[in-house]
Amino acid sequence: MTLDGIKEEIKKAKKIVVLTHESPDGDAVGSSMAVFLALKNNNKDVDVIIPEMPRTFEFLPGVNEIKKESDVEKYDLAIALDCADIKRLNGFSAYFENAKRSIVIDHHSINSMFGHYNYVDPVAPATAQILCGILKYFGIEITKEIGTCLITGIITDTGGFKYSNVTADTFEIAASMLEKGVNISNIYERVMQTVTLSRFNLTKIAIDRLELLEEGKIAFTYITMEDEKKVNAEFGDHEGIVEQGRSIEGVLVSVFFRETEKGYKVSLRANNNSNVNVADICLIYGGGGHIKAAGCLMQYPLEIAKERIIEEIKRSIK
Ligand code: 5GP
Ligand code: MN
């Protein structure tokens, strides 16, 4: 069985590296830190590499041990978390490919199964939730610190326990974390409610610009690199802007574009009462994600990129 194979590989490995996807979110960082701490607590020699991450997650235990880069030849086992494709490995695919053995643990249904061992559960709302089960199966203790990392991933990937992807397990895990003394209320406030002034101002610009299209079924907004400069935005400050459009009554799909050096980074969110699969739309443009939350990169001018995405959404709504 895959899990026993994974356990065996970890047991044998002398030097392990933990990797996650680019533009890491709470699930990416939380899952990475949880695996890092769990392996360290079990006397494994392990590095976690995250080159850039949002300040919001700096409270997580162990973050001062995160490496920004390392020696690519050094590892005999690589573990990729919350990452659907080797291309999204933070520019660190070489670490993954160079490692003698590799493990993928993820919850994206479109995962390309790029490891020697692939443990993918598309029904799980977060990679962190899958990890709760795996650590339990391995008999590794979920300490308060590890629990803090895992619940952070679960909270952020479920929009604070509210998306349709939550399962009965989600709440059972939350209950067991509370019993361990994990401060869920504090974590919730940090990752879901507290925003820096820059982030607030960036959101304000995007809200001012928000348009409702197709009789209010599609919300569209965007931010430019210039906007980010103007508000002194930090890495990750655009996260969550796409949710603003989704929360408007009658909106089925919310679209958010973020201008980057490489093109427009597209974020799509579908509402529970829509039957639009936004991952399918993003796949057309080389991206991916989940049925109700997905993204892609579009290398076209704003108006053209907008027109193409809106056209695809219109087609799916009908
Ligand atoms: P976000 O809109 O927050 O950037 O991403 C939402 C979801 O879509 C995440 O689960 C993320 O993994 C996925 N996603 C976002 N951008 C891309 C992309 O360019 N390629 C792929 N494959 N998935 C993406
Ligand atoms: Mn995730």
Side-chain angles (χ1 to χ4, degrees), residues 13 32 42 90 130 186 222 225 240 276 290 299 312:
S32 299
N42 282 270
N90 251 330
I130 301 175
N186 178 268
Y222 68 94
M225 289 192 282
V276 178
H290 309 280
Q299 290 164 313
E312 287 304 332

Side-chain angles (χ1 to χ4, degrees), residues 21-23 25 82 84-85 88 107-108 110 157 238-239 242 265-269 286-290 293-297:
H21 65 79
E22 61 190 356
S23 302
D25 53 17
D82 198 40
D85 195 287
R88 295 203 81 216
H107 68 131
H108 292 88
I110 52 152
D157 262 24
H238 63 279
E239 298 282 349
V242 66
K265 190 74 223 305
V266 178
S267 284
L268 299 186
R269 296 291 185 274
H290 309 280
C296 61
L297 182 74

